């Protein structure tokens, strides 16, 4: 449920972040989300961090880090700390690396911060807030079944392993059963975790089914979950404004819960609409023709990309060549359309024509 009430904003120094995953080349959807994050910071004189979210070793590729920094600079976006920053020797004042085991250049890469996630995971376990879950994805899918018309696409974890006793858990682990770690969200959440103010969509209220219930904080293969890693990183880096796609708005209650567990103030959130192709599908690697790299190589100017996105989103009334700086003076998240049009099938041609 979403209403249009005006959300509160932080009144102190604003710190935001660009947090790309190096799993492929950036596309128009990425450009839109990162442009909004940049505008949200620079329009309020804030500080912007680049953080590489390479926590999943199977999907992340080091060669994409340079490429994504290059694409964002081409788009006209800059940042104050992290890989590719104008002054890379000047770290974020508030970044934390308890134990000091990560090399300086990895402080802004999740792969260099695994020891921090492990430390937090152990603390959650000691506090009785996390428990091992032996359910497989196949088992959970069969329990959920296919959603029927009018029903939510996601159901809350049914708590199968939540009530297992210490002896049963130890026995399964001794037998070599794989397990993930889940957080006791469903029995510890507060109503304030399910309702929050969004800078784009206003007041948002979600149900437990939409949040997934007890959620995983560490996968069975030992990879720490997105929910845990981003909250720990945002706390350590002093991030208090988060801009991201509306497709992960259901992550927000889980993260608000984690902020409470770690006794940290929550950030303000801006969930922006997704850029969808002409068939209504979210952009992915298969859309190589509208990757920023592909567009640039075909002669498209960055001002054409930004100018088209500004009109598509409602930030401007007409399509024209514009730089990111041209949108700063009157930028407001509230001006963004909640449901922009689909991409036209010939968007690459449109951008090339606009660039001439």
């Amino acid at each position: 449920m979403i209403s249009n009430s005006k959300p509160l904003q932080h009144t102190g120094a604003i710190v935001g972040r660009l947090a790309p995953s190096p799993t492929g080349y950036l596309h128009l959807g990425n450009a839109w989300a990162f442009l909004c994050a940049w505008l949200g910071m620079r329009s309020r004189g804030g500080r912007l961090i680049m953080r590489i979210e390479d926590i999943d070793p199977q999907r992340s590729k080091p060669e994409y880090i340079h490429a994504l920094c290059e694409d964002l600079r081409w788009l006209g976006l800059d940042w104050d700390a992290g890989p590719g920053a104008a002054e890379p020797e000047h770290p974020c004042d508030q970044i934390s690396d308890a134990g000091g085991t990560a090399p300086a250049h990895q402080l802004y890469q999740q792969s260099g911060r695994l020891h921090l996630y492990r430390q937090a995971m152990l603390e959650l376990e000691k506090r009785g807030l996390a428990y091992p879950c032996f359910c497989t994805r196949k088992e959970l899918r069969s329990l959920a079944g296919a959603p029927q018309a009018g029903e939510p696409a996601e159901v809350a974890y049914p708590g199968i392993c939540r009530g297992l006793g210490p002896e049963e858990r130890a026995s399964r682990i001794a037998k070599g059963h794989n397990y993930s770690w889940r957080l006791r969200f469903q029995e510890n959440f507060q109503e304030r975790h399910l309702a929050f103010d969004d800078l784009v969509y206003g007041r948002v209220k979600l149900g437990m089914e939409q949040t997934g219930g007890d959620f995983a904080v560490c996968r069975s293969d030992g990879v720490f979950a997105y929910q845990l890693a981003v909250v720990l990183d945002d706390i350590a880096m002093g991030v208090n404004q988060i801009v991201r796609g509306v497709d992960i708005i259901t992550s927000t209650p889980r993260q608000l819960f984690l902020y409470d567990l770690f006794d940290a103030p929550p950030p303000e959130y801006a969930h922006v609409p997704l850029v969808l192709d002409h068939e209504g599908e979210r952009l992915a690697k298969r859309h190589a023709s509208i990757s920023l790299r592909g567009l640039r190589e075909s002669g498209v100017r960055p001002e054409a990309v930004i100018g088209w996105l500004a009109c598509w989103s409602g930030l401007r009334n007409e399509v024209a060549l514009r730089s990111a700086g041209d949108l700063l003076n009157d930028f407001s998240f509230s001006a963004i359309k909640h449901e922009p049009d689909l991409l036209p099938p010939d968007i690459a041609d449109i951008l090339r024509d606009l660039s001439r």
Side-chain angles (χ1 to χ4, degrees), residues 131-134 157 159-169 172 184:
Y131 61 89
C133 175
F134 302 92
Y157 173 69
I160 297 170
C161 296
R162 186 190 306 137
L164 294 179
E167 292 183 0
E168 176 65 20
R169 291 173 183 164
R172 295 192 185 193
R184 295 182 181 275

Side-chain angles (χ1 to χ4, degrees), residues 94-145:
Q94 302 185 60
I95 194 168
S96 170
D97 178 34
T101 59
H105 69 282
Q106 289 186 0
L107 288 177
Y108 296 94
Q109 291 183 225
Q110 289 186 331
S111 59
R113 303 177 61 78
L114 300 181
H115 59 292
L116 300 177
Y117 313 146
R118 190 172 299 109
Q119 178 181 328
M121 182 68 243
L122 291 173
E123 178 62 25
L124 291 172
E125 181 189 358
K126 288 179 182 178
R127 293 166 61 184
L129 291 165
Y131 61 89
C133 175
F134 302 92
C135 300
T136 65
R137 290 186 179 182
K138 182 178 180 180
E139 289 170 338
L140 294 176
R141 283 197 299 268
S142 66
L143 285 171

Side-chain angles (χ1 to χ4, degrees), residues 29-269:
N30 302 132
W32 161 241
F34 293 140
L35 173 63
C36 287
W38 187 88
L39 290 169
M41 287 301 99
R42 297 309 190 210
S43 65
R44 294 167 64 184
R47 181 172 173 78
L48 197 59
I49 295 168
M50 167 69 75
R51 185 175 72 227
I52 305 300
E53 299 198 340
D54 58 348
I55 197 171
D56 189 337
Q58 294 183 342
R59 300 179 63 240
S60 300
K61 305 296 180 184
E63 57 265 29
Y64 287 123
I65 297 177
H66 174 76
L68 63 88
C69 288
E70 185 177 70
D71 287 345
L72 290 174
R73 282 195 295 265
W74 171 78
L75 200 60
L77 308 185
D78 63 344
W79 49 96
D80 304 297
E87 299 181 21
E89 73 282 357
H90 181 61
C92 177
D93 296 335
Q94 302 185 60
I95 194 168
S96 170
D97 178 34
T101 59
H105 69 282
Q106 289 186 0
L107 288 177
Y108 296 94
Q109 291 183 225
Q110 289 186 331
S111 59
R113 303 177 61 78
L114 300 181
H115 59 292
L116 300 177
Y117 313 146
R118 190 172 299 109
Q119 178 181 328
M121 182 68 243
L122 291 173
E123 178 62 25
L124 291 172
E125 181 189 358
K126 288 179 182 178
R127 293 166 61 184
L129 291 165
Y131 61 89
C133 175
F134 302 92
C135 300
T136 65
R137 290 186 179 182
K138 182 178 180 180
E139 289 170 338
L140 294 176
R141 283 197 299 268
S142 66
L143 285 171
Q148 303 298 314
E151 292 183 352
E154 185 176 9
V155 296
Y157 173 69
I160 297 170
C161 296
R162 186 190 306 137
L164 294 179
E167 292 183 0
E168 176 65 20
R169 291 173 183 164
S171 173
R172 295 192 185 193
I173 292 173
K175 292 177 182 178
H177 292 192
N178 289 331
Y179 60 93
S180 60
W181 284 95
R182 288 186 181 272
L183 206 58
R184 295 182 181 275
F185 179 49
Q186 196 156 349
E187 61 189 24
N188 292 295
F189 82 96
Q190 304 292 324
E191 288 300 324
R192 67 177 181 275
H193 299 134
L194 299 180
F196 57 93
D197 294 319
D198 188 83
L199 295 174
V200 177
Y201 290 93
R203 188 68 174 172
V204 178
K205 295 182 180 179
L206 300 174
M208 182 58 65
E209 293 78 11
Q210 294 167 291
T211 70
D214 288 0
F215 56 93
V217 286
C218 186
R219 296 187 336 201
S220 59
D221 59 2
V223 175
F224 292 100
Y226 163 82
Q227 311 294 351
L228 179 67
V230 297
V231 169
L232 290 172
D233 288 344
D234 287 334
I235 292 172
M237 298 176 185
V239 173
N240 54 19
Q241 185 186 93
I242 294 175
V243 181
R244 59 192 184 191
V246 72
D247 56 321
I248 55 175
I249 199 168
T250 54
S251 291
T252 307
R254 312 175 206 183
Q255 293 174 15
L256 292 173
F257 180 62
L258 283 166
Y259 276 98
D260 268 2
L261 294 186
F262 295 129
D263 195 26
E268 58 186 29
Y269 288 95

